[in-house]
Amino acid sequence: MTILVVLFVLGLITGLVFAVTFSLFAGKRVVRADGRPARKRGPFRILLGLVGLGIVAVLLAVQFGWFYANAQFDKIERIDVDVDGESVLAGSEGGTNYLLIGTDKREGTEGNRADSILVLRTGDGPARLLSIPRDLLVPRPDLGGERARINAAYNQGAVNLLRTVQEGVGIPIDRYIEINFTAFADLVDALGGVTIEFPTPAIDEGSGLNIQQAGPNELDGEQALAFVRSRKYQEVIDGVPQGTSGSDLDRIVRQQQFLREVLKEAGSSRNPLHLARIGNALVDGLSIDNHMELLDALIFAWNMGQLEPVQTELPVMGSGDNATVVLAPGAEDVIRDFAT
């Protein structure tokens, strides 16, 4: 409602400025010596008229930009996070927590695959980005408190995952955003590429990753997708491929790095034509909670363009079955930092 009021006021101001500008160009009414009416247009009036035209153009651009952004925003898929008419988003104190879910939708597969579960916190000091391992064992509210993989909670839908993060992990969430890595490949191309820092050359025959030199590499959409999908990541040292630990945590770190760079690049652009291309690509790559408004999304985009989120690790350790992990000493302090 506040935005509608602002737009209404802007419309009134635009009309007023346009009327004044028109009168300046029309000139001041005078009467000639012979008694005939005329209009006087001095250089000062013309200068003021040009200034008025500039102001009108800026106001119209702002209003057009808002309506265009709103039209694009309405195309983004909404995810229902309500139960019995009430949102399960708990909201955090002092800052804003965004739950970012990186999925990998592919042709020939059913449902989503939650490859990344991230929490971005802003608004109370330096921005922090926390990775939650997919194989973390936590109490699941839908299982009556029984401990199970957090990733399995996502298989039951966004509401279940939100409850698990908030009640099982202990981090309240304000906003929910799903990011489709496959569609983000188009976003990378719309951005003109994204730069990722590689400590060594790297390859993965399975995903198609092929980085031939160390240092900053600009990836196109295809190579960016190969980077985030890599499960058999190999560093090339002295010309010899050497496998890394290949753990799920390593892949999460790479996906976190990718998302940070892409969102930073997307949020930093101020070129209207560039923003339009980015917006079209984002429509297919994002899903958001049904309570998010356009202003919330613009604040998120602005933050991603201005902030350098500190990568925060959640201390975990093996549970003993070589397949899952549990919270390790020090995890409570990290969770508390994101909760209050």
Side-chain angles (χ1 to χ4, degrees), residues 235-299:
E235 296 180 338
V236 181
I237 301 176
D238 296 329
V240 179
Q242 299 183 15
T244 62
S245 65
S247 70
D248 187 51
L249 294 178
D250 289 341
R251 192 162 53 86
I252 287 175
V253 170
R254 291 194 293 273
Q255 292 172 345
Q256 185 182 41
Q257 180 186 9
F258 167 76
L259 288 177
R260 185 170 63 248
E261 294 301 325
V262 170
L263 294 175
K264 175 185 173 183
E265 182 71 22
S268 64
S269 177
R270 299 294 178 262
N271 184 311
L273 295 178
H274 198 195
L275 285 172
R277 290 195 297 270
I278 292 172
N280 289 331
L282 277 173
V283 166
D284 294 328
L286 286 180
S287 300
I288 58 178
D289 68 75
N290 57 309
H291 293 279
M292 183 177 288
E293 301 291 343
L294 176 56
L295 186 59
D296 299 319
L298 293 177
I299 291 173

Side-chain angles (χ1 to χ4, degrees), residues 98-100 116-121 127-133 169 171 252 256 309-315 331 334-335 338:
Y98 299 87
L99 183 60
L100 309 177
S116 291
I117 303 174
L118 310 171
V119 179
L120 170 68
R121 184 169 181 84
R128 286 91 79 197
L129 191 60
L130 175 70
S131 293
I132 300 178
V169 180
I171 299 177
I252 287 175
Q256 185 182 41
V310 177
Q311 182 172 315
T312 305
E313 292 187 8
L314 182 65
V334 174
I335 292 172
F338 276 75

Side-chain angles (χ1 to χ4, degrees), residues 78-134:
R78 299 304 198 276
I79 296 177
D80 190 355
V81 295
D82 293 349
V83 174
D84 296 330
E86 295 291 331
S87 172
V88 299
L89 295 168
S92 57
E93 298 179 6
T96 301
N97 283 336
Y98 299 87
L99 183 60
L100 309 177
I101 307 302
T103 68
D104 192 5
K105 296 181 181 178
R106 313 189 199 190
E107 293 184 3
T109 60
E110 296 182 359
N112 286 349
R113 299 171 58 191
D115 274 11
S116 291
I117 303 174
L118 310 171
V119 179
L120 170 68
R121 184 169 181 84
T122 65
D124 62 345
R128 286 91 79 197
L129 191 60
L130 175 70
S131 293
I132 300 178
R134 299 185 311 156

Side-chain angles (χ1 to χ4, degrees), residues 25 30-31 38 46 53 68 76 90 114-115 131 133 188 190 196-197 203-204 207 241 277 300 316 327 330:
F25 278 116
V30 296
V31 178
I46 294 176
L53 281 179
Y68 175 79
I76 298 176
D115 274 11
S131 293
V188 171
I196 302 292
E197 184 79 25
I203 61 172
D204 183 339
S207 70
R277 290 195 297 270
F300 173 73
V316 296
L327 296 177

